[in-house]
Amino acid sequence: MKKAILLITTLLALVSCSERTPQDLFDEDKSGVVLILNEYYYTMKLPNGNTLYFTGIDDDGSLENLSVDYNDIKGKRQTLSGTGFFIDKQGTIMTNRHVAQPAIDKKAVKESYNSLVASLKAYFGAQMEELADQYRTLENQKSDCVSFDFYGNAYQDEEKLQAITTQQGELEEQFNQLRDVRESMNDHVSLDELQIAVVCEVGIAYNNTYVTSSSDLLDKNPCVVTKVSGKEDTDLALIQLKNKTTPEGAYVFNTDGKADVGLVAKVKDLFSSHNDEILQIDQQLYMIGYNAGPVLANTKQGIQVQMTSGKVTQLPDGDRLLYSIPTVQGSSGSPVIDSQGRLVAVNFAKLAASDNFNFGIPLNKVKAFLKP
């Protein structure tokens, strides 16, 4: 009994002096956090079977870079960056859904398309009317092909008449083409009739590596999207390295809310009153991510991940965790950990016009998302 008490006393003594510093946490976790690059465009399959390509919707509500040419849209893809972190040894990376598979407002696309169709039909109608006017003008010119001599005999200029007839044939062909295209356009396409999808090319880069172009991510470390949350309030997704192998030495985050950091930390968990699923107001939290993407990450020593810190400002309600960790574009998908290194949330949004109130997806939703 005395030996058991002595052992417990010794372990408790070790626990009391085992507080991990932010530097300790950063040094351990940084190798498991990756920069994500996504180059993407959208496809829209029309009711007539044709496919249009575009990259988004501009401020005026118009479809950006609208094209019927696949090769054309490949050179105009949108680009976004975010953060992700390894959760297993098979190259699986957790991030936000809006990083891995950018959504678009399908209703806005439908309205933009219908507006475009109406504009095109009006344009084609005006073009057809102009062609008809040219045809009628040529028809009137045919009378000029006939002349009369002194005795009233009629002579027809066959060469001039043939030129007019040829021009009329060309105008008629253009008219018919515009008419056919115009008639093939539905006056109003419903949302159900439009099949809209996003096409993504995703890649990653590691801390302390050099990134000079998108190929350093997309070609060297290509990924595929393997799972996307179907719940609107769960902005989570998984991507996976195509080689399905997490690099040797890369830190793997534990998604069960425990820190895999050795005996002392495990003993501390045993004797702590802290519940892995319960956070406290003003509790210290840390986020490791690529704020502002490559812009801020690029240094003379290669890309460098950043650690930022803050406090719990509102207890999680099951859907979100509010904290004062500053974030910017590129922080999406970053792991949020506590002072023991335990994953407590995945960063996903900030309160508009504020750097001091930001949101994370709490651990309970992460666990639910990862269930088969």
Side-chain angles (χ1 to χ4, degrees):
M1 185 65 179
K2 290 183 179 180
K3 289 183 178 180
I5 294 175
L6 179 61
L7 176 60
I8 291 173
T9 302
T10 303
L11 289 173
L12 287 174
L14 288 171
V15 167
S16 65
C17 63
S18 66
E19 187 66 29
R20 302 172 67 202
T21 67
Q23 186 67 54
D24 292 336
L25 296 171
F26 180 71
D27 289 343
E28 179 182 55
D29 294 2
K30 62 183 180 181
S31 62
V33 183
V34 299
L35 172 65
I36 299 175
L37 184 71
N38 187 346
E39 291 192 350
Y40 64 97
Y41 61 91
Y42 299 95
T43 64
M44 178 166 57
K45 192 168 184 179
L46 305 177
N48 62 10
N50 293 330
T51 300
L52 297 178
Y53 305 96
F54 64 101
T55 58
I57 301 176
D58 63 22
D59 294 336
D60 296 327
S62 301
L63 299 178
E64 290 183 303
N65 298 313
L66 184 64
S67 177
V68 296
D69 186 354
Y70 168 77
N71 292 320
D72 177 58
I73 202 67
K74 285 279 285 184
K76 298 177 179 177
R77 293 179 295 180
Q78 292 275 44
T79 299
L80 66 79
S81 62
T83 300
F85 54 97
F86 286 110
I87 62 169
D88 62 26
K89 291 292 187 180
Q90 289 73 53
T92 304
I93 298 163
M94 177 164 285
T95 188
N96 287 148
R97 175 178 54 210
H98 73 262
V99 172
Q101 198 172 82
I104 195 164
D105 186 340
K106 293 187 177 182
K107 184 178 179 181
V109 173
K110 181 206 70 171
E111 292 174 353
S112 178
Y113 174 75
N114 286 332
S115 176
L116 174 65
V117 168
S119 297
L120 287 175
K121 292 188 78 168
Y123 173 75
F124 289 157
Q127 291 291 101
M128 290 166 65
E129 186 59 36
E130 184 177 338
L131 291 171
D133 287 342
Q134 293 178 27
Y135 188 95
R136 287 190 289 268
T137 298
L138 288 171
E139 188 66 28
N140 293 333
Q141 290 177 4
K142 285 183 178 180
S143 61
D144 297 335
C145 296
V146 179
S147 60
F148 297 91
D149 61 14
F150 180 78
Y151 301 101
N153 297 316
Y155 294 91
Q156 185 166 273
D157 188 337
E158 296 294 341
E159 184 176 347
K160 186 176 181 180
L161 180 63
Q162 182 59 46
I164 292 175
T165 302
T166 299
Q167 290 180 60
Q168 284 184 312
E170 292 173 352
L171 291 173
E172 189 173 5
E173 183 178 356
Q174 293 176 46
F175 183 94
N176 291 337
Q177 287 177 348
L178 287 174
R179 181 196 62 200
D180 292 344
V181 172
R182 190 171 185 269
E183 290 180 353
S184 71
M185 294 180 174
N186 295 338
D187 288 327
H188 182 80
V189 177
S190 69
L191 195 59
D192 293 336
E193 292 177 292
L194 290 179
Q195 299 178 39
I196 303 168
V198 61
V199 180
C200 302
E201 186 175 357
V202 182
I204 64 169
Y206 304 104
N207 189 54
N208 285 332
T209 62
Y210 288 91
V211 171
T212 58
S213 68
S214 61
S215 63
D216 287 330
L217 296 91
L218 302 178
D219 296 339
K220 292 182 180 179
N221 305 299
C223 298
V224 294
V225 180
T226 58
K227 186 175 183 179
V228 176
S229 173
K231 296 182 178 181
E232 185 177 349
D233 61 354
T234 305
D235 190 355
L236 291 174
L238 297 179
I239 64 175
Q240 186 177 33
L241 285 166
K242 286 187 176 181
N243 63 16
K244 297 183 179 181
T245 303
T246 299
E248 188 70 28
Y251 182 79
V252 174
F253 284 78
N254 198 333
T255 55
D256 65 5
K258 297 179 181 179
D260 186 15
V261 293
L263 176 61
V264 171
K266 289 179 179 177
V267 171
K268 187 173 182 178
D269 270 348
L270 289 175
F271 287 92
S272 174
S273 60
H274 177 87
N275 185 315
D276 289 337
E277 306 255 352
I278 297 177
L279 294 169
Q280 299 174 353
I281 286 292
D282 207 40
Q283 181 176 338
Q284 184 69 49
L285 297 179
Y286 303 93
M287 185 181 76
I288 304 175
Y290 290 93
N291 303 290
V295 175
L296 191 58
N298 266 313
T299 73
K300 292 180 179 180
Q301 288 76 41
I303 62 169
Q304 298 290 319
V305 71
Q306 306 103 39
M307 174 183 272
T308 48
S309 63
K311 301 286 185 70
V312 175
T313 57
Q314 185 183 74
L315 294 178
D317 61 357
D319 288 330
R320 69 184 192 184
L321 169 65
L322 184 63
Y323 40 74
S324 61
I325 303 174
T327 67
V328 294
Q329 189 280 327
S331 306
S332 296
S334 298
V336 178
I337 60 176
D338 65 11
S339 59
Q340 295 182 42
R342 295 177 293 196
L343 180 71
V344 299
V346 178
N347 185 67
F348 80 101
K350 66 183 297 178
L351 188 64
S354 172
D355 290 327
N356 297 321
F357 295 98
N358 301 290
F359 300 106
I361 300 167
L363 191 59
N364 65 296
K365 300 200 77 169
V366 172
K367 291 180 179 180
F369 170 68
L370 290 175
K371 288 181 179 178

